[in-house]
Amino acid sequence: MSMEIKITTQLANFLQVCIDKKSHKLGKLLHAHILRTGLFTDTFLSNRLIELYNKCGRLLTARQVFDKMPHKNLFSWHAMLSAHCKTGDIDEAHKLFVEMPERNAVSWNTLISALVRGGLEQKALNLYHDMNRAGFLPTNFTLASVFSACGALLDLQYGCVCHAVVYKIGLDKNIYVGNALLGMYAKCGRIENAIKAFEDLPEVNEVSFTAMMGALGDTDHVEGAFDMFRSMHRIGVRVDAISLSSVLGVCARSGINGQQLHGLTIRLGLENDLHLSNSLLDMYAKCGDMNSAEMIFDDLQEVSVVSWNVMIGGYGQKYEIKKAIEFLEKMRRFGFEPDEVTYINMLTACLKSGDTETAYEIFKKMASPSLSSWNALLSGYSQIGKHKEVVRLFINMQFCNVKGDRTTFAVMFSSCASMGLLRGGRQVHAASVKNLFDDDIYVASGLIGMYSKCNKIDVAKCIFDRIKDQDDIVCWNSMIAGLSLNNLDKEAFMLFKNMMEKNIFPTQFSYATVLSSCAKLSSISQGRQIHAQALKDEIINDVIVGSALIDMYSKCGYVDEARLFFDKMPVKNTITWNEMIHGYAQNGHGSEGVDLFEEMINKSGENPDAITFIAVLTACSHSGLIDHGIMIFNSMLQEHGVEPISDHYTCLIDSLGRAGRFNEIEAILDKMPYSNDPILWEVLLSSCRVHLNASLARRAADELFRLNPCNSAPYVLLANMYSSMGRWDDVRDIRELMIEKQAVKDPGYSWFEHKDGI
């Protein structure tokens, strides 16, 4: 008996050597010897064989050994369960788990963590629930996996429940749990809770700092992320390739050139780490520094598909399609097969450059385009305004049996809204319900936007009222914007107030929309309420909110208050300058508007756009600065590279018409390319009526009759001019023509605000 134990021990030691050295051939010889000598019934030796085959990547052989074992113990089951989990064979692992005669915490943890790694987070949480019901206490490993699952699912509520469990079982000081907890809060967008979890850690390591840097970077707390990295470096926590990759990711997302971090990478001797090298490539590419990116790429000792993808994506971002295609061809020549990210980067690059033909050719070359590829093409077409192609592609998706996701439906609703395609939008709505996306917040937001833009605001309201989770700002913003778009500005203001009462924090877009409603209502009192709220919420320095405030004060007639606010703004962009110039123009302060335009182009560093010139030309027109307006109009293309559009010609004709300079107007009319713009002809007709220029007035009216015979404005303007000149026969003819064409004059109205209301 003692001899058998001695032989068994020796065989076990030999097997351990084979396990350590991953020696599959020698292990097979020992296996054969064990079978020949009848020692296979020894559970200890069989377990060693399972361990050996798993270590050598021979899962099938390991499973055969396991299945033939006459006496399995808990180690046998765990060895096989762990092997299936490591290879990602979750279904087989789950079957094995169910068959286990007994389980302990290790059994549950092994399967829960495998489910999380495999992207089956909800199944992992369901299994954790079963584990609790079975009476097993979670360990630090269990809770780390559970927090990871909650973060991936953005399930903050369940994450908070599990946080309470941490305190209950005394794991609140465990660094492994603490790191997973702050990661969960970060992914759920609760940066304050993540910071608190970080501060509560009894000790911090590189994992803690890396998680916090990523969290701060993801929530646009860029300086906070850099402070965290500096603090990590200062207190002596080891800076590794992963933490450097994390802070480089912050640089990439923020467009900050991280050359100093590149220097630190070299100083720490980490320049040969492939993941870190790819992070450096990505940082330079996202910052637009493709020269530096290409230098790093050329020096890489090891290149992966990710490296090629970053380079292709970087050149695509800079609209250098030839370089992107060149790298794609080189990638293939060097034996790398393009993956889906490669194709998506190429698709995005071509679409951003407006090269839809090449984009579609690349898409057609894909053997089996995934949903991400379809979405990339749909989004690209939508962003460049090719909405008919978006609808066509969506129909093709249905024929290819590719089910859309929230991105697909959001893009489709946006395109249907842009075309006013109500029937198509309803069909896509039906498809979203069929695919069980009707409860998704972002799909609901897209639906609200689509129905609002198609003038079906009642349907939009119904969708909004049916939303279960009304804590998300996205749908509130869509509904407020929809009401404003349909001239229900009072309702938009009330909905904004309702949102505030529910403690939902407004974004800059919420403020911009509701301020636009106040402007349309000419309600200075409501506008000032919103101004005060923006101050309280510390969002007043946001350039979007500031620009909307300038517009509101200007449209309510308080242009001096608009200018006071404009001067205090810490950050201005072209839109801000445009709003202030336009505010002066609207309120008859044309000279101040022109002076501000001169200041913008000479001192601000902002480039004027088409809207800037509409604003300043309007200012010139309203203040009689005709020659100045002509000079500015002529400078548009020559000095600023802005092609004049119909609105610019309208401003110029209005300016000349007010001064009665009709010879110059006729010269412009004969050369301009926008003869089908009714507003231009209405402006001209109005000027002719004032100056009693009957011949040019008739030409303008005839153009308007051609463009829209039912529009009452040209008939009324022409008749009023003829009556001023005493040409009563002509007045009668115009009245008869108006009746014949069934052109009915709409009643006019105006309003102002006083203490009792509007």
Side-chain angles (χ1 to χ4, degrees):
M1 188 71 184
S2 59
M3 178 61 71
E4 189 176 325
I5 294 171
K6 189 177 179 183
I7 292 168
T8 302
T9 305
Q10 283 180 336
L11 284 169
N13 290 337
F14 287 143
L15 282 169
Q16 187 60 53
V17 172
C18 294
I19 291 166
D20 294 339
K21 294 187 177 182
K22 294 184 182 179
S23 180
H24 175 240
K25 287 183 179 178
L26 185 57
K28 280 176 74 176
L29 291 171
L30 290 169
H31 187 180
H33 180 73
I34 290 167
L35 288 170
R36 269 199 319 273
T37 54
L39 293 173
F40 183 71
T41 54
D42 189 288
T43 303
F44 183 68
L45 286 178
S46 295
N47 285 343
R48 276 281 179 269
L49 283 170
I50 292 170
E51 193 178 351
L52 166 71
Y53 287 124
N54 284 337
K55 198 76 178 281
C56 294
R58 309 283 171 156
L59 178 62
L60 188 61
T61 312
R63 184 60 191 261
Q64 287 170 348
V65 172
F66 174 81
D67 289 339
K68 288 176 182 176
M69 281 178 70
H71 309 294
K72 302 179 183 77
N73 62 11
L74 191 58
F75 182 89
S76 319
W77 288 94
H78 280 170
M80 238 17 263
L81 179 68
S82 179
H84 281 299
C85 287
K86 279 180 182 174
T87 56
D89 191 355
I90 303 296
D91 289 339
E92 197 58 43
H94 192 266
K95 282 180 190 173
L96 208 63
F97 179 82
V98 171
E99 291 169 8
M100 288 179 75
E102 60 173 316
R103 304 183 191 107
N104 61 14
V106 175
S107 324
W108 293 92
N109 289 344
T110 301
L111 189 54
I112 289 170
S113 62
L115 287 166
V116 174
R117 283 197 309 274
L120 300 168
E121 291 88 1
Q122 192 56 60
K123 285 188 175 180
L125 294 184
N126 294 342
L127 193 66
Y128 170 67
H129 182 65
D130 293 342
M131 178 183 178
N132 288 330
R133 283 171 53 193
F136 287 95
L137 207 61
T139 68
N140 55 339
F141 300 110
T142 321
L143 287 165
S145 296
V146 166
F147 285 133
S148 180
C150 292
L153 295 168
L154 304 180
D155 192 344
L156 179 65
Q157 188 177 0
Y158 197 65
C160 290
V161 170
C162 296
H163 189 175
V165 172
V166 170
Y167 282 100
K168 187 178 177 181
I169 63 176
L171 285 172
D172 51 306
K173 300 301 179 186
N174 183 282
I175 190 167
Y176 194 61
V177 173
N179 286 340
L181 182 65
L182 76 88
M184 183 274 293
Y185 280 125
K187 284 177 184 172
C188 292
R190 292 299 182 97
I191 193 67
E192 299 85 2
N193 299 73
I195 292 168
K196 179 74 169 57
F198 179 82
E199 289 171 348
D200 286 348
L201 286 170
E203 58 175 308
V204 288
N205 59 12
E206 62 271 21
V207 177
S208 323
F209 275 104
T210 301
M212 269 317 303
M213 282 188 291
L216 290 162
D218 287 341
T219 51
D220 295 327
H221 293 78
V222 176
E223 197 50 48
F226 289 138
D227 285 343
M228 192 65 64
F229 182 73
R230 284 189 282 267
S231 174
M232 176 185 185
H233 204 48
R234 189 170 56 251
I235 66 175
V237 175
R238 186 174 71 93
V239 176
D240 59 8
I242 297 171
S243 52
L244 270 170
S245 293
S246 180
V247 76
L248 282 166
V250 175
C251 292
R253 285 191 295 276
S254 313
I256 296 169
N257 197 311
Q259 281 183 323
Q260 290 179 317
L261 293 167
H262 187 181
L264 181 60
T265 300
I266 296 167
R267 198 159 68 245
L268 293 172
L270 297 170
E271 65 268 31
N272 292 329
D273 184 282
L274 180 58
H275 179 67
L276 182 54
S277 296
N278 286 337
S279 297
L280 274 168
L281 275 180
D282 188 50
M283 180 272 294
Y284 280 123
K286 295 268 173 66
C287 293
D289 186 358
M290 291 308 296
N291 290 332
S292 297
E294 201 159 333
M295 282 172 63
I296 292 172
F297 184 84
D298 290 340
D299 288 340
L300 285 176
Q301 291 184 1
E302 183 186 357
V303 180
S304 68
V305 173
V306 174
S307 319
W308 289 100
N309 287 345
V310 169
M311 295 302 293
I312 291 166
Y315 278 116
Q317 189 178 303
K318 292 193 76 179
Y319 307 105
E320 294 185 30
I321 303 303
K322 287 183 180 177
K323 285 289 286 185
I325 292 171
E326 178 191 319
F327 264 82
L328 178 61
E329 289 169 352
K330 280 167 74 175
M331 177 184 184
R332 284 178 172 141
R333 277 203 310 273
F334 281 98
F336 288 89
E337 193 59 37
D339 63 6
E340 191 172 357
V341 176
T342 319
Y343 285 117
I344 289 173
N345 283 350
M346 282 301 304
L347 284 173
T348 307
C350 293
L351 290 164
K352 276 186 176 178
S353 304
D355 189 355
T356 53
E357 288 183 17
T358 306
Y360 195 61
E361 286 303 314
I362 289 168
F363 181 78
K364 285 198 297 185
K365 286 177 184 175
M366 297 171 72
S368 180
S370 71
L371 179 59
S372 298
S373 304
W374 283 97
N375 283 346
L377 200 61
L378 286 167
S379 300
Y381 275 126
S382 179
Q383 284 163 16
I384 60 175
K386 295 208 169 190
H387 301 296
K388 285 183 180 177
E389 282 83 350
V390 172
V391 174
R392 180 177 56 79
L393 274 170
F394 181 76
I395 293 167
N396 288 346
M397 269 183 78
Q398 311 313 302
F399 285 122
C400 293
N401 289 321
V402 179
K403 288 186 177 180
D405 63 1
R406 52 156 48 173
T407 303
T408 318
F409 290 112
V411 171
M412 277 303 300
F413 291 134
S414 174
S415 287
C416 290
S418 298
M419 292 189 292
L421 191 63
L422 179 60
R423 186 181 173 192
R426 281 176 170 157
Q427 290 173 345
V428 179
H429 185 180
S432 72
V433 173
K434 186 179 177 182
N435 286 286
L436 306 177
F437 279 101
D438 50 317
D439 286 336
D440 185 275
I441 289 291
Y442 294 97
V443 171
S445 174
L447 272 169
I448 292 166
M450 185 273 291
Y451 282 117
S452 298
K453 287 177 183 173
C454 292
N455 302 315
K456 293 289 181 182
I457 193 66
D458 290 339
V459 181
K461 283 180 183 174
C462 286
I463 291 165
F464 178 77
D465 291 337
R466 284 206 308 265
I467 293 170
K468 293 173 186 173
D469 179 15
Q470 288 207 341
D471 292 337
D472 197 292
I473 188 64
V474 174
C475 286
W476 286 89
N477 281 350
S478 295
M479 195 64 242
I480 293 167
L483 291 166
S484 179
L485 186 70
N486 285 270
N487 296 317
L488 298 168
D489 297 293
K490 193 173 181 181
E491 289 87 339
F493 181 82
M494 295 308 296
L495 190 64
F496 180 86
K497 284 183 72 176
N498 186 16
M499 181 179 83
M500 297 294 295
E501 287 163 6
K502 291 181 181 289
N503 295 317
I504 296 168
F505 192 77
T507 65
Q508 66 267 46
F509 302 107
S510 321
Y511 278 108
T513 306
V514 77
L515 283 166
S516 173
S517 290
C518 294
K520 286 194 282 178
L521 290 167
S522 299
S523 177
I524 189 65
S525 62
Q526 291 179 340
R528 283 181 173 146
Q529 285 178 46
I530 303 299
H531 187 171
Q533 187 64 48
L535 273 168
K536 184 180 175 184
D537 288 343
E538 298 181 352
I539 202 170
I540 199 71
N541 290 333
D542 183 272
V543 71
I544 295 171
V545 177
S547 301
L549 271 166
I550 291 165
D551 177 56
M552 184 275 295
Y553 279 119
S554 298
K555 283 181 178 166
C556 291
Y558 290 80
V559 71
D560 291 335
E561 285 191 48
R563 181 58 191 263
L564 278 171
F565 182 76
F566 175 85
D567 290 337
K568 288 177 186 173
M569 283 182 72
V571 179
K572 302 179 183 77
N573 63 11
T574 302
I575 295 168
T576 319
W577 288 89
N578 291 351
E579 292 290 5
M580 194 63 245
I581 295 166
H582 194 238
Y584 277 131
Q586 284 175 312
N587 288 276
H589 298 272
S591 297
E592 288 92 333
V594 172
D595 290 343
L596 192 63
F597 171 76
E598 299 289 348
E599 186 182 331
M600 176 188 178
I601 60 174
N602 294 323
K603 296 179 183 177
S604 75
E606 295 289 342
N607 294 318
D609 60 12
I611 296 168
T612 317
F613 285 104
I614 292 170
V616 72
L617 289 170
T618 303
C620 291
S621 175
H622 289 186
S623 301
L625 302 170
I626 298 99
D627 293 325
H628 206 99
I630 293 169
M631 184 180 71
I632 290 171
F633 181 87
N634 291 334
S635 74
M636 285 178 63
L637 191 58
Q638 295 167 7
E639 296 178 24
H640 303 286
V642 178
E643 184 80 40
I645 59 173
S646 176
D647 290 339
H648 301 116
Y649 282 100
T650 302
C651 291
L652 188 62
I653 286 169
D654 181 46
S655 181
L656 291 166
R658 286 169 188 258
R661 291 163 63 166
F662 292 108
N663 290 335
E664 292 169 73
I665 289 176
E666 290 192 74
I668 291 168
L669 292 175
D670 292 336
K671 286 188 279 186
M672 73 170 189
Y674 299 102
S675 59
N676 286 332
D677 183 358
I679 296 172
L680 186 148
W681 294 109
E682 278 188 23
V683 165
L684 176 58
L685 180 55
S686 182
S687 296
C688 291
R689 185 183 69 81
V690 172
H691 293 279
L692 303 179
N693 186 332
S695 62
L696 194 55
R698 186 68 206 207
R699 177 184 173 184
D702 286 341
E703 290 289 346
L704 287 164
F705 297 156
R706 175 180 66 83
L707 293 168
N708 185 1
C710 297
N711 179 14
S712 64
Y715 299 97
V716 173
L717 286 168
L718 198 59
N720 288 346
M721 186 193 70
Y722 284 145
S723 64
S724 300
M725 298 171 73
R727 292 170 57 170
W728 303 110
D729 290 341
D730 290 326
V731 172
R732 187 176 62 254
D733 291 343
I734 292 297
R735 296 289 184 195
E736 288 173 359
L737 184 62
M738 189 174 178
I739 293 166
E740 181 191 326
K741 299 295 183 183
Q742 297 182 333
V744 181
K745 184 179 183 299
D746 294 323
Y749 63 92
S750 60
W751 68 88
F752 65 95
E753 187 180 31
H754 61 97
K755 63 181 180 179
D756 298 321
I758 300 294

